[in-house]
Amino acid sequence: MSHPPPRRDPHAYLGAVEMRTLESRLLAGNAVGDPCVREVPVYLPPQALADPSARFPVVYVLAGFTGRGHKYLETHPWRLGVVTRYDRAVAAGDAPPAILVLPDCFTSFGGSQYVDSEFLGPYESHLALELVPFVDAHYPTRPGRRGAVGKSSGGFGARPRR
């Protein structure tokens, strides 16, 4: 019997944030001993909860150096986090609905540069070859409708590839 993933702060969002666990075959056995099991927060817009047959584009939100995707779930009472701001904008009709994926590519050295590294591990391949298919398999994504954004090192990771 399969259990649904846990939801983070179920009353904080008009949509929902699910906490998924992904065991990476590619990150296993990396030279620094960082974990290959990663918790991946995934934001679903309110429209996905209202219409299970609807499909949505996906945006991978990459954290900067020393950060993890979890940081974008900030629920501080005086400042709204990225996901909360986006959730409110979607609900107000000021932003189109999309699924947000917040990868955890933190390493014991402070974070990934989202590149394949012999030493730290193949983080670019992990995202492209493991995380993207994982999200497509578990969520109502629209094929070919995905993008990446990021801050600092995350911006470097989001750069177009040749």
Side-chain angles (χ1 to χ4, degrees):
M1 174 161 60
S2 168
H3 298 284
R7 291 219 169 142
R8 163 112 187 229
D9 304 328
H11 303 291
Y13 305 101
L14 297 166
V17 174
E18 293 185 352
M19 306 304 280
R20 289 280 183 166
T21 300
L22 172 60
E23 184 170 353
S24 171
R25 174 183 61 75
L26 293 172
L27 298 180
N30 61 75
V32 293
D34 285 334
C36 65
V37 176
R38 302 296 175 122
E39 184 178 59
V40 182
V42 177
Y43 167 81
L44 297 166
Q47 296 84 342
L49 305 178
D51 181 1
S53 67
R55 319 269 308 153
F56 299 92
V58 181
V59 179
Y60 292 83
V61 185
L62 307 181
F65 190 67
T66 74
R68 298 169 51 214
H70 293 73
K71 76 180 260 167
Y72 296 121
L73 299 174
E74 172 74 59
T75 56
H76 189 280
W78 296 315
R79 50 179 190 270
L80 300 177
V82 170
V83 174
T84 302
R85 287 178 189 269
Y86 180 71
D87 181 61
R88 291 182 181 181
V90 169
D94 295 333
I99 295 169
L100 303 181
V101 179
L102 314 171
D104 175 11
C105 292
F106 190 80
T107 71
S108 54
F109 288 90
S112 164
Q113 296 291 89
Y114 306 97
V115 297
D116 288 346
S117 164
E118 260 185 60
F119 184 66
L120 290 178
Y123 283 91
E124 182 177 356
S125 293
H126 162 66
L127 292 175
L129 302 176
E130 292 180 326
L131 186 58
V132 169
F134 177 82
V135 169
D136 286 345
H138 290 91
Y139 291 99
T141 63
R142 289 183 61 194
R145 301 286 296 178
R146 66 177 68 99
V149 298
K151 172 190 174 282
S152 188
S153 292
F156 177 79
R159 75 198 186 287
R161 307 300 201 271
R162 290 183 194 209

